[in-house]
Each structure stands twice: as structure tokens, then as C-alpha cells.
Amino acid sequence: MNDSPTTDLAGWRTKLAAMAASGADNDGAHDGAHLDRVWRNAQALLEHHPEADRLVVLAASYLHDLVNLPKNDPARNQASRRSAQLARHQLSYLGFPPEKLDAVAHAIEAHSFSAAIPAETVEAKIVQDADRLDGLGLVEK
């Protein structure tokens, strides 16, 4: 793997986790531990999809819940779109590879069941599945 500044997954993971934590609330279903579990699930899924862009999956795994609206909020189905927009802005500021921003945004938008946006890329499918596995209570031992 190329360890250039744009593909250093460990370095990006640190930055992305910090970015997600800075806007996090105390909702246990969407806290830092949830994001870590989604990333772990995604890594397991990535083993079966070597063609997938790991950096896109990493970014979407950590930033998919930047905007978290309560389940009864009438705008709940817009949360993933808002998260994608905020992630795009914040990633641009961090110097994230611009050619990957659309893919990250799509994976974030499509992860949400309530948004009803079809996952059209392997990266989006991985993030969607990884998040749903965590929601179902998958616990790796």
C-alpha cells in the first residue's frame, strides 16, 4: 500500500475520528464507539472487496453521522444528506483528496435507511452494511 499523505489510513483515521468526536452528542447509538464498530465491520467487508477504495470507506464510516437528528424529527430523512454536505466541507478543509469527495458523500447519503437513497457503489454498500450490522447488534469477539 502506498503510504502517501492521502492514503495513510491510520493518519486519516485519527483525523476523522477527531472530526466526528468534535460534533458528537452523547447518544450511545451514534457515539465514537459506534463509529469504531462501523469501521471494524467495514474492514471485514473490505476483505471481500479488494476493488473498493479503503480511504472512501474509512471517511464515510467515521463521518456518516455528523448530523444526527432524533427519530421523531420531521427532517430525519435529511440527516444523511446534511452529514454528506458537512463532511464534504470539512474534508476539503483537511486536504482530503478532492477526487474522492463525491464517493464519500454518496456513501454517507446512502447509508441511511430513512433517506431511501440506493447505494450505487461498492463503497456505499460496504458502509451501509457495516452501519446496519452495528445497528443489529453484531459484536465481534
Side-chain angles (χ1 to χ4, degrees), residues 37 40-41 44 137-141:
R37 290 189 305 269
R40 273 196 309 274
N41 291 341
L138 174 70
V139 177
E140 284 241 5
K141 297 196 182 220

Side-chain angles (χ1 to χ4, degrees), residues 40-134:
R40 273 196 309 274
N41 291 341
Q43 288 176 296
L45 295 169
L46 280 162
E47 302 256 335
H48 303 283
H49 298 282
E51 75 281 11
D53 188 316
R54 296 178 72 82
L55 183 57
V56 168
V57 173
L58 172 67
S61 292
Y62 273 95
L63 304 180
H64 72 276
D65 285 332
L66 281 178
V67 175
N68 184 25
L69 300 174
K71 297 283 183 200
N72 62 350
D73 190 305
R76 174 71 177 161
N77 65 347
Q78 294 296 313
S80 67
R81 286 181 180 92
R82 292 180 187 177
S83 290
Q85 183 178 23
L86 182 56
R88 182 188 295 272
H89 174 74
Q90 291 184 351
L91 288 170
S92 293
Y93 182 76
L94 279 182
F96 194 83
E99 69 277 6
K100 296 179 187 277
L101 291 174
D102 287 342
V104 172
H106 172 66
I108 291 171
E109 289 175 341
H111 94 277
S112 170
F113 180 79
S114 62
I117 297 170
E120 296 177 356
T121 64
V122 67
E123 294 84 6
K125 291 173 184 177
I126 288 169
V127 173
Q128 184 182 73
D129 287 351
D131 183 56
R132 290 180 184 176
L133 286 168
D134 187 58

